[in-house]
Every structure is written in structure tokens, then in C-alpha cells.
Amino acid sequence: MAFVFFHFLGKRLGWSNKLTGCLILTAGLGNTSFVGIPVIQALYGSEGLETLIVVDLPGTFVVLSTVGILVANSYAHTKNSASLLKKMFSFPPLIAFLFGLLLALFKVDFPEPLSETFKMLAATISPIALLSVGYQLKFQKDSKHYPYLILGLMFQLIFVPLVIFMVYLVYSI
């Protein structure tokens, strides 16, 4: 939806490719884990986390580290495909995801003390990320980018939920 919406709007309003690409990526993809994991865990417990991980990682993360890189390169007008593939497959989080996927497929378990240590460290990720990002946010209303920030947030927080609600209404009748 973000691609169609911002690509059309960008062409219609004469935006630069960089601005259009930026809005497609930032409004179309979001890191839902930082807020989503604690909310799902509170509402559905550990069973809900299993579903969240299966949906969030391939649904958001892999798209960001593959299609996101393609969109960024396309709108930045860099066409070197060898460099693009190198960027995609040398992206450390993607490598870690693929390694984790292999460990899961081959049912490799870590020793209990190491596994417990990983669980304790993972529990700190959301609060640390929310605080560190939150303290860095500085909205400058006089910035030339402020209207685009508002547009991107409106897309994510109003338009997309409205479309999802309409789809729900159509299929629930």
C-alpha cells in the first residue's frame, strides 16, 4: 500500500525520488517488535509470542532487508546489481536471521545456562530501544520535512488501519 500510495503521490506532486523512496520505506515498513512484543505477551502470553515471531520476522524484517534495500536503491538511482546483492546478503541482521532459521530447522538448542542468559538479555531489548529512540526524537515543526513526517504518520496510523478495518468489514459479512 505504501508503494502505491507514495509512488502515485510523489509523481503527482513532483517529489524527488529520494523523498518518495524515504516515505515508502518509513511509512510502509515499521519495526513493530519493540512495542508489539510486550503488548502481545501481555494480552496472549507466551503462546502469542510464538505466533508473533513467525509473523513479524518474515513479514517485516525479511521484507525490510530485501525488498526495502531494492526500493532504497531504486529510488536512489543506484543500479549496480552486484553491489545490491552484496548489500542484501552482507546485512548482519539478515545473516543472523538466516543463521537462527537454520538453527531452528535443525533443532539445535543452546545449553540451558546460555539459553537463560539470552532470554534475560532479550527481555531488556524493548525498554532499552524505546528509551534510546525516544530520547533521540526531536520534532522541529519549522523543518521542511515536518509535513512529510505528518503525512507518513497519518498513513501508518489512520489510512492503513482504516483500510484493514474495511477489509475486515467486507470479509466478516
Side-chain angles (χ1 to χ4, degrees):
M1 279 193 306
F3 177 81
V4 171
F5 183 79
F6 289 111
H7 181 78
F8 172 77
L9 208 55
K11 291 287 183 202
R12 193 87 157 141
L13 299 176
W15 293 344
S16 71
N17 279 340
K18 289 181 181 182
L19 174 61
T20 304
C22 178
L23 282 168
I24 290 169
L25 289 173
T26 57
L29 298 170
N31 192 340
T32 56
S33 299
F34 293 129
V35 176
I37 289 175
V39 170
I40 294 297
Q41 189 169 19
L43 294 174
Y44 300 105
S46 59
E47 301 83 31
L49 284 180
E50 293 171 8
T51 304
L52 175 115
I53 296 299
V54 169
V55 171
D56 186 59
L57 282 177
T60 301
F61 173 74
V62 173
V63 170
L64 175 63
S65 58
T66 55
V67 176
I69 291 173
L70 290 171
V71 169
N73 274 5
S74 169
Y75 280 89
H77 292 299
T78 55
K79 302 294 183 201
N80 186 348
S81 59
S83 171
L84 175 64
L85 289 175
K86 182 180 176 190
K87 283 180 187 177
M88 285 173 52
F89 291 106
S90 64
F91 187 48
L94 181 63
I95 293 168
F97 171 74
L98 294 174
F99 182 68
L101 191 61
L102 284 174
L103 290 175
L105 288 173
F106 291 109
K107 298 186 186 325
V108 175
D109 286 330
F110 292 105
E112 189 64 30
L114 190 56
S115 182
E116 287 302 314
T117 302
F118 287 154
K119 284 180 185 177
M120 288 189 299
L121 287 172
T124 65
I125 290 175
S126 292
I128 289 173
L130 288 171
L131 285 172
S132 62
V133 171
Y135 280 128
Q136 292 179 32
L137 286 177
K138 291 176 179 61
F139 297 111
Q140 298 173 350
K141 292 183 181 178
D142 58 341
S143 168
K144 68 178 182 176
H145 299 108
Y146 190 74
Y148 305 111
L149 171 67
I150 297 300
L151 181 63
L153 288 172
M154 286 176 55
F155 176 83
Q156 276 190 335
L157 300 172
I158 296 171
F159 181 72
V160 171
L162 191 61
V163 169
I164 291 170
F165 183 66
M166 288 189 302
V167 168
Y168 167 75
L169 287 178
V170 167
Y171 286 102
S172 67
I173 296 176

